[in-house]
């Protein structure tokens, strides 16, 4: 019996088919992977199933019956639940309040006792080992917040659980624990649909897997009968490699080179500006080096990046020293840092990097609006900037290849390539790079990694912040692991090991 | 590419989209207004004819239409410029009131202007500067409060409107009052302060000022779209965080856009005081500051779009008086009703959503039927 079946479902946004004639089936009591690059349409398919976007054409069948799902309430009625990639939790409220939201028991007053006893039963049945019902959600780790989301679905008696990129913010240890729980759910008769772009996890934990590309289904395979290479080829449409294949030039003697960027005993207290304090952080970045910054999100990396790219904003809130090329940089602003050869690829390209309602040329000028190449007598030289953008489009293979395109209409990967092209345009000596491949298609990841390594090989210094451990291990010369606002451990390239780094990310010792 | 997607791609450009929405919204508002006339027992065609004759019927009428339009261009700019930096300026009414009283007081502020014939050519530029500064400083107050203290500009500009009304009343009644008049108005300005109207307008108070206003709009458009300063304003307006990340000060953009916006509102004083009544009269403004909000919204913040948008509202303003006189059942309030309906039409994002989905499914199903 199929728990879920898509029959020729189409969903269109503007001229763009997010889903086109999508048909696939998910067997009951199985773990089904749904994979594809960013923008392949897997999230859209699941939003159609969950009633967030009703389909334009086609049918959805639940338990071999055709159903109409035009609102998440309909989906819940059909016992379908979804854990979104960004959790939908009210952070200041208790776990209990979050779980019973919309399902309150009791006639007039909420019967919390009854709810707690039901939740204890669920926790016991699925061996989740969770009982912090009265703790505010904000006090929980990311892994526990995810558990809350799952328990919430079970409390709603969902039988089909959609998990959207559930491992994106977890350490390797937490990922392991999550999949143990998912196996247990399956044994109890639940169906799990796992959206992911991490092939290794899908291969390890699912029963069958459906691959999507450009809004269409490429095919469905039994997990036991496929492998990483086949799935990757299905996803991208050509053969790709997973680890960086390019040349990694080694300089003869880097140890006596002077650091170009140095931070000494930096402490920043938590304030309205930043929720993540930093405690006594010291690091040095030398030429010809990529230093990776690892850590579970929220352990101070964001504060460090904000400080390094705009120290003047922290002038009265920090203690310690920050030097660039041996000179104090504590009073520098983003523009003056750019002048000193520091390039920035911000954490969140949409929130911090782009003007989505403007074209590529306008976006290319952001931060470069006072560069003498593009500004003459107070007038921005759009023509010159446009020529430069055309050049970058071919250098970085940005698509669509028209500089007049509105950046909000570009895919994540192409937006990111534009942000990188902009950061490299003034030929910086130091590159502060955060999550350069977050939400970027597999094909574009190669290109982005290439350009980062190329910069390093040319003697530049790169500080690489990333949530993808594989990426850090692939690219970095050293990795610094942040935990609770301090550097918990440092790994040299010959010590790289995902499991060990993961343990330090969770607060353990090296 | 299907017919639908080709059609849609051509509409993708945001400026094209907002232009279409504005035009459709205006037409929708007008039609709804005329339907209401029908229910009130007046023929819609009759109403349209009255409006047309009232606005374009004679040189005088057209001059008066332009005279109603000019302040709306200025207040439209006063709202649109801060809007590009992400601020909603509800305070154009207060800014123009203070601008007008500053213009009217220019002969008192610099008495030697009036006594030295050699200085008289300076009178109009001086009065204009005074009006710009008064409106600009009044506008800068909420800008500074927002930048330094984070106070919401909508609240502060509304409050400053009341304060400006109080200040102007105090000045007009106690300080600058014309001793020979029983009304609350300031002294009559000497003749070299007056702007001469065109003779073809048969006495309607509109002259070369209209060219200067048009030129000003074009210059503001170039400033916003081409200059580094304008770029910074727009970047802040579109994405504060990105602008800050790349070293653009949102505080500076907020303060400067509010100063310039307020200053432009202050220039309404030039149109009214130097062009028409030659003195400040309490209550001269036909809510120009508030209609300016509608003008800027209809133009969707596009500086050049202010011109047709202000002209439309200027026509409605001018035509409203004739509706009172020439029909039995319709009063001038109808024109306010139409103004409101136009804004509703333009602002109903949900309506556009429904229209576009409806159109889409029809085209999709049509294509499906053809193919299958």
């Amino acid at each position: 019996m199929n728990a879920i079946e898509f029959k020729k479902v189409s969903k269109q946004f503007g001229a763009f088919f997010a889903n086109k004639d999508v048909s696939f089936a998910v067997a009951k009591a199985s773990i089904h992977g749904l994979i594809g690059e960013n923008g392949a349409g897997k999230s859209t398919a699941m939003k159609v199933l969950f009633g967030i976007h009703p389909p334009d054409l086609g049918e959805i069948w639940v338990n071999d019956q055709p159903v109409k799902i035009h609102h998440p309430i309909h989906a819940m009625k059909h016992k379908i639940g979804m854990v979104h990639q960004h959790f939908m939790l009210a952070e200041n409220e208790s776990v209990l309040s979050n779980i019973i939201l919309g399902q309150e028991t009791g006639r007039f007053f909420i019967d919390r006792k009854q709810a707690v006893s039901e939740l204890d039963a669920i926790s016991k049945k699925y061996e989740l080992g969770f009982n912090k019902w009265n703790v505010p959600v904000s006090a929980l780790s990311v892994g526990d917040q995810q558990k809350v989301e799952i328990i919430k679905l079970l409390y709603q008696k969902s039988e089909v659980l959609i998990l959207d990129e559930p491992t994106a913010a977890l350490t390797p240890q937490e990922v392991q624990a999550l999949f143990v729980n998912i196996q247990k759910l399956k044994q109890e008769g639940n169906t799990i649909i796992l959206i992911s772009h991490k092939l290794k996890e899908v291969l390890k934990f699912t029963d069958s897997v459906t691959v999507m590309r450009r809004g269409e289904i490429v095919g469905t395979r039994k997990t036991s009968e496929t492998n990483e290479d086949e799935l990757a080829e299905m996803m991208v449409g050509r053969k790709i490699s997973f680890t960086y294949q390019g040349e990694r030039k080694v300089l003869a003697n880097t140890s006596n080179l002077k650091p170009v960027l140095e931070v000494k005993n930096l402490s920043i207290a938590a304030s309205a500006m930043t929720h993540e304090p930093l405690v006594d952080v010291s690091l040095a970045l030398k030429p010809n080096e990529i230093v990776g910054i690892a850590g579970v999100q929220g352990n101070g990396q964001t504060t460090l990046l904000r400080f390094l790219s705009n120290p003047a904003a922290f002038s009265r809130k920090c203690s310690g020293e920050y030097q660039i090329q041996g000179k104090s940089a504590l009073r520098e602003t983003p523009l003056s840092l750019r002048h000193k050869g520091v390039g920035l690829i911000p954490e969140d390209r949409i929130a911090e990097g782009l003007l989505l309602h403007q074209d590529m040329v306008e976006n290319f000028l952001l931060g470069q609006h006072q560069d003498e190449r593009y500004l003459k007598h107070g007038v921005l030289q759009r023509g010159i900037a446009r020529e430069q953008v055309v050049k970058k489009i071919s250098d970085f293979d940005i698509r669509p290849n028209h500089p007049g395109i509105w950046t909000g209409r570009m895919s994540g990967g192409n937006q990111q390539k534009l942000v990188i092209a902009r950061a490299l345009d003034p030929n910086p000596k130091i590159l502060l790079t955060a999550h350069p491949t977050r939400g970027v298609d597999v094909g574009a990841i190669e290109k982005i990694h290439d350009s980062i390594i190329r910069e390093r090989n040319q003697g530049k210094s790169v500080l690489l912040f990333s949530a993808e451990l594989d990426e850090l291990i692939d690219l970095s010369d050293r990795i610094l692991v942040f935990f609770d606002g301090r550097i918990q451990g440092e790994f040299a390239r010959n010590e790289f090991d995902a499991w060990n780094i993961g343990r330090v990310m969770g607060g353990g010792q090296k | 590419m299907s017919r639908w997607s080709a059609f849609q791609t051509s509409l993708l450009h945001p400026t094209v989209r907002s232009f279409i929405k504005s035009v459709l919204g205006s037409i929708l508002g007008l039609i709804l207004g005329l339907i209401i006339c029908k229910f009130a027992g007046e023929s819609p065609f009759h109403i349209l004819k009255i409006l047309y004759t009232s606005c374009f019927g004679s040189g005088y009428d057209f001059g008066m239409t332009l005279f109603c339009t000019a302040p709306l261009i200025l207040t439209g700019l006063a709202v649109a410029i801060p809007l590009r930096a992400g601020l909603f300026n509800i305070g154009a009414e207060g800014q123009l009131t203070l601008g007008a009283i500053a213009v009217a007081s220019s002969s008192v502020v610099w008495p030697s202007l009036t006594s030295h014939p050699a200085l008289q050519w300076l009178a109009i530029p001086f009065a204009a500067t005074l009006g710009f500064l008064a409106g600009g400083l009044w506008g800068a107050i909420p800008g500074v409060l927002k930048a330094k203290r984070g106070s919401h500009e909508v609240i502060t500009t509304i409050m400053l409107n009341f304060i400006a009304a109080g200040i102007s009343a105090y000045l007009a009644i106690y300080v600058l009052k014309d001793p020979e008049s029983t009304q609350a108005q300031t002294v009559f300005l000497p003749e070299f302060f007056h702007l001469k109207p065109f003779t073809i307008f048969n006495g309607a108070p509109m002259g070369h000022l209209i060219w200067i206003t048009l030129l000003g709009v074009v210059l503001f458009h170039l400033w916003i779209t081409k200059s580094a300063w304008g770029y910074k304003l727009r970047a802040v307006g579109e994405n504060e965080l990105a602008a800050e990340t790349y070293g653009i000060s949102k505080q500076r953009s907020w303060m400067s856009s509010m100063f310039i916006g307020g200053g432009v509102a202050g220039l309404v004083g030039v149109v009214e005081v130097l062009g028409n009544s030659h003195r400040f009269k309490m209550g001269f403004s036909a809510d120009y500051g508030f209609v300016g909000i509608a003008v800027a919204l209809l133009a969707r913040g596009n500086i050049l779009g202010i011109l047709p948008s202000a002209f439309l509202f200027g026509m409605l303003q001018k035509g409203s008086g004739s509706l009172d006189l020439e029909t039995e059942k319709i009063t001038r309030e109808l024109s306010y009703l139409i103004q409101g309906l136009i804004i509703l039409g333009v602002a109903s994002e949900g309506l556009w959503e429904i229209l576009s989905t409806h159109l889409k499914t029809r085209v999709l199903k049509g294509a499906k039927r053809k193919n299958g």
Side-chain angles (χ1 to χ4, degrees):
Chain A
M1 185 157 108
N2 288 328
I4 300 288
E5 190 169 0
F6 274 62
K7 293 195 171 177
K8 289 198 166 272
V9 170
S10 290
K11 178 73 199 171
Q12 210 183 3
F13 295 111
F16 172 70
F17 272 101
N19 276 181
K20 195 173 183 183
D21 284 339
V22 166
S23 304
F24 70 98
V26 178
K28 206 166 173 64
S30 73
I31 303 177
H32 192 98
L34 185 59
I35 62 170
E37 298 187 348
N38 271 88
K42 43 193 203 301
S43 286
T44 306
M46 290 303 106
K47 282 177 181 163
V48 167
L49 176 59
F50 193 54
I52 296 173
H53 299 311
D56 290 337
L57 296 167
E59 284 183 343
I60 291 173
W61 289 42
V62 173
N63 293 332
D64 297 335
Q65 297 288 325
V67 296
K68 279 211 185 312
I69 302 178
H70 286 169
H71 192 276
I73 288 179
H74 305 161
M76 289 175 201
K77 216 177 276 168
H78 292 294
K79 302 192 173 176
I80 299 168
M82 182 160 178
V83 177
H84 296 267
Q85 187 175 354
H86 303 285
F87 302 148
M88 305 287 177
L89 296 170
E91 298 231 324
N92 296 328
E93 293 293 327
S94 71
V95 170
L96 183 65
S97 305
N98 270 285
I99 291 177
I100 62 176
L101 180 65
Q103 307 279 320
E104 300 86 351
T105 46
R107 271 174 185 279
F108 184 75
F109 293 105
I110 297 171
D111 189 350
R112 287 170 193 273
K113 260 190 192 157
Q114 159 86 20
V116 166
S117 68
E118 275 180 49
L119 289 176
D120 281 333
I122 289 172
S123 180
K124 202 173 163 202
K125 180 177 171 194
Y126 296 97
E127 296 170 15
L128 294 169
F130 188 91
N131 62 356
K132 300 179 217 166
W133 311 121
N134 291 314
V135 176
V137 166
S138 57
L140 298 180
S141 69
V142 180
D144 276 352
Q145 291 188 11
Q146 192 169 49
K147 246 182 221 175
V148 172
E149 285 273 25
I150 292 174
I151 294 172
K152 181 172 178 174
L153 299 190
L154 296 172
Y155 183 74
Q156 291 166 358
K157 308 208 163 43
S158 299
E159 290 172 0
V160 177
L161 285 78
I162 308 166
L163 307 181
D164 189 359
E165 300 279 4
T167 62
L170 303 184
T171 63
Q173 285 77 3
E174 285 173 315
V175 171
Q176 190 64 42
L178 170 70
F179 283 111
V180 170
N181 291 334
I182 290 181
Q183 290 293 345
K184 186 75 194 162
L185 293 176
K186 177 186 143 187
Q187 283 162 24
E188 296 290 336
N190 293 290
T191 310
I192 290 107
I193 302 178
L194 178 73
I195 307 179
S196 182
H197 66 275
K198 294 182 182 168
L199 294 178
K200 286 194 184 110
E201 287 169 10
V202 171
L203 283 166
K204 208 160 154 191
F205 299 111
T206 61
D207 300 316
S208 52
V209 51
T210 296
V211 184
M212 291 187 76
R213 183 170 74 226
R214 292 191 188 152
E216 297 180 58
I217 299 288
V218 184
T220 300
R221 297 279 182 280
K222 276 216 157 73
T223 310
S224 52
E225 292 164 8
T226 186
N227 57 48
E228 195 168 357
D229 288 334
E230 187 194 18
L231 290 180
E233 211 178 321
M234 287 165 78
M235 262 166 77
V236 187
R238 63 185 168 84
K239 281 203 187 323
I240 58 154
S241 61
F242 287 97
T243 47
Y244 182 69
Q245 303 288 306
E247 186 193 7
R248 173 180 277 280
K249 221 167 82 183
V250 182
L251 268 195
N253 201 352
T254 50
S255 53
N256 29 1
L257 283 173
K258 277 201 182 131
V260 287
L261 181 152
E262 205 169 1
V263 173
K264 289 177 191 156
N265 308 106
L266 175 70
S267 293
I268 296 173
S271 67
M273 248 172 89
T274 168
H275 300 298
E276 306 170 22
L278 284 180
V279 189
D280 200 22
V281 169
S282 298
L283 62 91
L285 185 61
K286 291 180 175 178
N288 204 251
E289 179 177 60
I290 298 176
V291 173
I293 304 287
V296 176
Q297 201 182 349
N299 279 289
Q301 306 96 303
T302 301
T303 308
L304 179 66
L305 181 67
R306 293 230 171 113
F307 170 79
L308 292 179
S309 58
N310 190 4
F314 290 85
S315 59
R316 277 184 229 119
K317 295 164 188 117
C318 67
S319 69
E321 190 47 54
Y322 175 24
Q323 291 182 342
I324 285 175
Q325 315 275 23
K327 287 190 191 120
S328 173
L330 281 173
R331 297 185 169 278
E332 305 287 350
T333 63
L335 285 181
S336 69
L337 276 178
R338 180 179 177 280
H339 210 67
K340 289 203 149 66
V342 179
L344 171 70
I345 297 166
E347 271 192 326
D348 182 337
R349 62 178 165 270
I350 293 190
E352 300 170 303
L354 291 171
L355 311 174
L356 293 181
H357 297 277
Q358 305 291 338
D359 64 12
M360 280 201 229
V361 182
E362 293 280 296
N363 276 280
F364 186 71
L365 286 169
L366 186 62
Q368 313 224 70
H369 52 280
Q370 282 178 346
D371 189 305
E372 54 212 10
R373 286 174 297 166
Y374 306 123
L375 183 69
K376 295 207 170 97
H377 316 296
V379 178
L380 282 169
Q381 306 295 310
R382 265 187 68 95
I384 298 173
R386 193 186 164 93
E387 279 169 29
Q388 199 66 18
V389 171
V390 169
K391 206 169 147 263
K392 301 290 177 196
I393 286 175
S394 74
D395 287 356
F396 287 82
D397 190 24
I398 301 174
R399 285 173 230 178
N401 60 359
H402 191 273
I405 201 90
W406 202 16
T407 49
R409 297 254 160 203
M410 290 160 59
S411 75
N414 287 302
Q415 289 176 339
Q416 188 70 0
K417 283 190 239 170
L418 179 67
V419 170
I420 294 172
R422 179 175 68 196
L424 296 180
D425 182 55
N427 196 16
K429 296 189 184 70
I430 302 166
L431 199 56
L432 305 175
T433 313
H435 311 296
T437 57
R438 179 181 277 174
V440 168
D441 1 305
V442 181
I445 289 177
E446 284 182 322
K447 291 238 162 53
I448 290 170
H449 284 177
D450 267 348
S451 59
I452 292 175
I453 291 275
R454 203 185 318 131
E455 292 298 311
R456 168 202 176 272
N457 287 347
Q458 287 168 4
K460 311 285 176 60
S461 317
V462 181
L463 201 60
L464 175 67
F465 296 73
S466 179
E468 303 276 344
L469 212 43
D470 290 343
E471 175 172 81
L472 288 171
I473 288 173
D474 257 10
L475 298 183
S476 308
D477 294 290
R478 285 186 289 143
I479 291 179
L480 306 177
V481 183
F482 272 72
F483 179 74
D484 218 7
R486 32 181 118 234
I487 297 179
Q488 182 81 2
E490 175 170 350
F491 292 81
R493 192 163 172 83
N494 55 16
E495 306 171 300
F496 286 180
D497 171 69
W499 194 256
N500 277 336
I501 296 176
R503 210 180 50 232
V504 179
M505 281 164 73
Q509 289 302 322
K510 189 175 156 187
Chain B
M1 198 182 255
S2 75
R3 236 176 21 185
W4 167 250
S5 49
F7 175 61
Q8 264 227 332
T9 319
S10 68
L11 296 184
L12 282 187
H13 199 277
T15 322
V16 178
R17 282 191 158 212
S18 29
F19 180 74
I20 292 175
K21 282 185 192 173
S22 294
V23 171
L24 288 181
S26 312
I27 294 173
L28 190 73
L30 201 61
I31 291 175
L32 284 175
L34 292 174
I35 291 175
I36 292 171
C37 293
K38 180 81 190 161
F39 282 122
E42 285 286 350
S43 151
F45 297 102
H46 186 50
I47 301 284
L48 277 179
K49 210 177 134 205
I50 293 173
L51 284 176
Y52 178 79
T53 332
S54 167
C55 295
F56 305 105
S58 68
Y60 172 80
D61 284 325
F62 186 59
M64 282 311 287
T65 309
L66 288 182
F67 178 72
C68 290
T69 304
L72 296 181
I73 294 178
L74 296 171
T75 53
L77 285 173
V79 179
I81 291 168
L83 198 61
R84 295 305 285 268
L87 298 184
F88 202 25
N89 179 14
I90 312 284
E93 188 70 20
Q95 292 144 17
L96 75 87
T97 309
L98 284 195
I101 203 152
V103 170
S105 68
S106 46
S107 64
V108 181
V109 173
W110 193 6
S112 41
L113 257 188
T114 40
S115 46
H116 289 278
L119 286 176
Q120 285 175 0
W121 63 274
L122 264 176
I124 290 171
F126 174 71
T129 312
L130 216 55
F132 186 89
L133 283 178
L137 292 176
W138 202 248
I141 296 172
V144 171
L145 287 175
K146 168 96 180 176
K148 303 289 179 202
R149 312 293 317 166
S151 327
H152 202 286
E153 76 280 1
V154 169
I155 313 268
T156 49
T157 48
I158 289 177
M159 296 200 301
L160 285 169
N161 279 344
F162 290 107
I163 299 174
I167 292 177
S168 66
Y170 176 80
L171 291 176
I173 295 170
Y174 294 106
V175 184
L176 302 163
K177 185 174 183 310
D178 181 1
E180 288 157 28
S181 163
T182 54
Q183 286 171 325
Q185 54 189 23
T186 63
V187 285
F188 196 76
L189 286 171
E191 197 171 339
F192 49 83
F193 275 99
H194 300 183
L195 293 166
K196 302 281 172 295
F198 290 144
T199 44
I200 48 159
F201 288 157
N202 282 327
M206 182 46 67
H208 290 295
L209 195 63
I210 199 72
W211 305 125
I212 298 172
T213 314
L214 291 180
L215 182 71
V217 172
V218 174
L219 288 179
F220 272 117
H221 174 73
L222 293 176
W223 172 65
I224 285 273
T225 54
K226 305 282 178 202
S227 75
W229 188 357
Y231 179 82
K232 290 183 201 170
L233 290 193
R234 285 185 290 125
V236 170
E238 174 151 354
N239 188 343
E240 260 173 52
L241 188 58
E244 271 195 303
T245 307
Y246 285 90
I248 297 169
S249 156
K250 62 181 181 195
Q251 284 87 357
R252 243 179 262 170
S253 291
W254 286 340
M255 291 189 285
S256 60
S257 67
M258 282 302 289
F259 173 72
I260 292 170
V264 175
L267 291 178
V268 171
V270 175
V271 181
E272 166 65 20
V273 177
L274 302 189
N276 184 30
S277 52
H278 311 305
R279 52 165 41 125
F280 177 85
K281 291 182 183 171
M282 261 177 71
F284 76 90
S285 162
D287 279 347
Y288 294 131
F290 297 112
V291 182
I293 298 169
V295 169
L297 289 182
L298 180 60
R300 293 180 165 252
N302 183 318
I303 303 290
L304 287 182
I306 299 277
L307 290 175
S309 168
F311 190 61
L312 174 69
F313 282 96
M315 288 193 297
L316 288 171
Q317 199 112 29
K318 169 70 177 68
S320 62
S322 310
L323 288 178
D324 255 348
L325 295 173
E326 296 185 29
T327 65
E328 286 175 13
K329 291 165 183 143
I330 304 291
T331 61
R332 63 167 62 227
E333 276 69 31
L334 177 78
S335 97
Y336 301 137
L337 190 83
I338 295 178
Q339 291 179 13
L341 289 171
I342 287 177
I343 293 304
L344 276 181
V346 176
S348 28
E349 293 290 338
L351 180 71
W352 306 118
E353 193 74 14
I354 293 168
L355 266 182
S356 109
T357 348
H358 186 67
L359 209 56
K360 187 168 85 177
T361 20
R362 278 188 57 167
V363 177
L364 264 182
K365 282 196 178 137
K368 200 95 184 169
R369 217 173 297 133
K370 223 185 262 171
N371 295 342

